[in-house]
Each structure stands twice: as C-alpha cells, then as structure tokens.
Amino acid sequence: MDPLAVTLEHHHFTYGWLNPAMGLAFAAAGSYLGLSASRYARAAATRGSRLRWTLMASLAIGGIGIWMMHFIAMIGFTVTGADIAYDPALTALSFGLAVLAVGTGLSVSGGRRAGWPRLLLGGLLCGAGVVGMHYTGMAAVATGGRVVYDPVLVAASAAVAVVASTVALRFTAVVDRRGSMALAAAVMSVAVVGMHYTGMAAVEVEGPSRGDIAGISPLILLLPILLLALIAIVGMVFGVLASPNLDGSDRNDRPSATVRLADAAGQ
C-alpha cells in the first residue's frame, strides 16, 4: 500500500434500501422467468425448440436476474467527494459474461437425469462466470481513486457464487410447479443479492481522489438499461403465457401432446 494513500469514504446504500429492493425484484423476476423457460426446454420435442428455451433461460437468469441486479445495486455505490463513471465496453462485457455463464452451466449440468458430477461442474463453471461478471463490472467503474479488495471476502463471494449457481442449476432441472418455482426463485434471488453484497463488502477505495475520470455517468446509463430490461421481461412473460400449460404434464421430461404440436408449429 502506498504510504501516501488514504482510504476514501464510500457507500453501498446511497439511496437507502431502494437499490437493494429493486435489485432483489429484478433477481426474482429473472429467476422465475428462467425457471419457467427451463421447464419448456425440458419438455421440448425438438432440439431447436430446446435451444430457444435454453437461450431464454440464460438471458432471464443471467441477464435480468444476475446482471440487472448487479447494475441496479451498483447505482447505490458512491464515493464521497468523487464522481463515478462507467466504461461502457466493460459494462457490456460483464453483461455478456453473466448470460454466457448461465448458458454454459445449463449446457454442462444437463437435465433432470444428469448426475451430480455434471451438476457440480456446471455449478463451478457458472459460478466462476458470475464472479467474472461481478469483478468485470467493478473494473468498469471509475471512482477517481484506486479500488482494492479484501482477498478473504473475495474468496467468500466466489464460494457464494458457486454454491448459488449449483443450487440454481439444480432448480432449473427439477422444479415443475408454479408454486415451487416461486419458492425457488425467492431462494435464487436472495443468493444473488447475497453474493453481490459479499463482493462489495470486500471493496476499499484508496485516494487521493482524481478528478479526471473517463466514462459515462451511471445515471445516464440507467434509463435505457431499465427500458431494455423491462421490454425483455414483458416479452418473456408474453412468450411464456402464449406457450402451452405444462402444469398437467407428467414428471418424466416427456413432452405433452400440446407441447409437441406447439414445437411442430414453430418449425
């Protein structure tokens, strides 16, 4: 540590509980939609239909449930006496990593019949991707000072990410009923929020603060990102509502006749 450096005061809850509450809402919505899409992926009769639903699940859980929660929570991160700016390229990269992490985890872990080794490997890969997303997103933030991390809390956040990812992947493979999905989505969203704030607890900002930071104000990014996220959520909701009801289907991952007809119509 530079002997001339000082620790700058920073806050994670600048706007009170607004950001955590909004982040939790996005995490819950993304988790529920992702679990819904995973049900249809398991019931799909064709590879193409299964791939479309899996991509939707990756976008819902990774893009809305994980990344949007991270971004909304980060709006509450401020440094006293310093401006905050975001690097748009790294911010976009962190989004891509979140979606890719979930997609990789879903692909590797397999479905209901896959064994625990595949599930654990999928959870490890997905968790590593989520950690990469979080710290890439942090690298996108220019604070006017130097961000340093407590390695113990970084390791703790990585452990939470891997465990949460493994549990989430298991949920996507076995949860069938809407009531169960709501409970699973609640567990997943709390885990996502816990991982984020565990990682943020590791943060310290060292000064002296610089005034020449480059990037875009997070408040400028907030409106277009919120609009895109809401459009994506509405689109997914209508996609799920327009799809056949699976609540009466069997538990053996065999598609119902209605799902087979829907898959055939989509070809």
Side-chain angles (χ1 to χ4, degrees), residues 29-48:
S31 297
Y32 188 87
L33 288 170
L35 290 171
S36 299
S38 296
R39 293 177 75 208
Y40 285 102
R42 295 199 306 270
T46 66
R47 180 174 296 180

Side-chain angles (χ1 to χ4, degrees), residues 176-198:
D176 285 316
R177 295 291 185 179
R178 296 190 185 279
S180 300
M181 283 197 302
L183 178 60
V187 173
M188 290 167 64
S189 58
V190 170
V192 169
V193 173
M195 181 271 162
H196 174 83
Y197 283 106
T198 301

Side-chain angles (χ1 to χ4, degrees), residues 5-260:
V6 295
T7 299
L8 300 179
E9 184 180 2
H10 64 280
H11 307 277
H12 300 297
F13 304 98
T14 301
Y15 305 105
W17 289 98
L18 175 63
N19 297 95
M22 286 182 63
L24 184 64
F26 274 104
S31 297
Y32 188 87
L33 288 170
L35 290 171
S36 299
S38 296
R39 293 177 75 208
Y40 285 102
R42 295 199 306 270
T46 66
R47 180 174 296 180
S49 179
R50 187 177 301 112
L51 177 61
R52 287 194 296 273
W53 284 112
T54 300
L55 289 174
M56 182 182 290
S58 302
L59 180 61
I61 297 174
I64 296 173
I66 297 175
W67 188 85
M68 273 302 297
M69 184 276 137
H70 165 86
F71 181 79
I72 292 296
M74 284 303 301
I75 298 296
F77 173 71
T78 58
V79 178
T80 301
D83 293 328
I84 296 285
Y86 282 33
D87 182 318
L90 287 176
T91 300
L93 177 60
S94 69
F95 172 84
L97 284 173
V99 176
L100 180 62
V102 175
T104 301
L106 289 172
S107 299
V108 171
S109 63
R112 183 194 302 266
R113 299 183 180 90
W116 281 99
R118 288 185 62 181
L119 175 64
L120 294 175
L121 177 60
L124 180 62
L125 293 174
C126 183
V130 171
V131 172
M133 176 281 301
H134 177 83
Y135 290 103
T136 300
M138 282 301 301
V141 180
T143 64
R146 186 168 72 95
V147 177
V148 296
Y149 297 96
D150 181 328
V152 174
L153 288 174
V154 169
S157 70
V160 171
V162 171
V163 172
S165 296
T166 304
V167 172
L169 292 175
R170 185 60 179 166
F171 283 154
T172 63
V174 301
V175 173
D176 285 316
R177 295 291 185 179
R178 296 190 185 279
S180 300
M181 283 197 302
L183 178 60
V187 173
M188 290 167 64
S189 58
V190 170
V192 169
V193 173
M195 181 271 162
H196 174 83
Y197 283 106
T198 301
M200 292 307 295
V203 170
E204 284 192 358
V205 183
E206 294 181 349
S209 177
R210 303 186 312 273
D212 55 339
I213 60 173
I216 300 176
S217 167
L219 296 179
I220 293 177
L221 291 174
L222 179 61
L223 181 59
I225 288 176
L226 271 178
L227 287 175
L228 289 173
L230 292 175
I231 290 170
I233 289 173
V234 171
M236 290 181 191
V237 168
F238 276 101
V240 170
L241 291 176
S243 300
N245 187 353
L246 296 181
D247 285 345
S249 62
D250 61 32
R251 293 290 186 269
N252 296 318
D253 282 352
R254 293 182 302 173
S256 66
T258 309
V259 174
R260 291 196 298 269

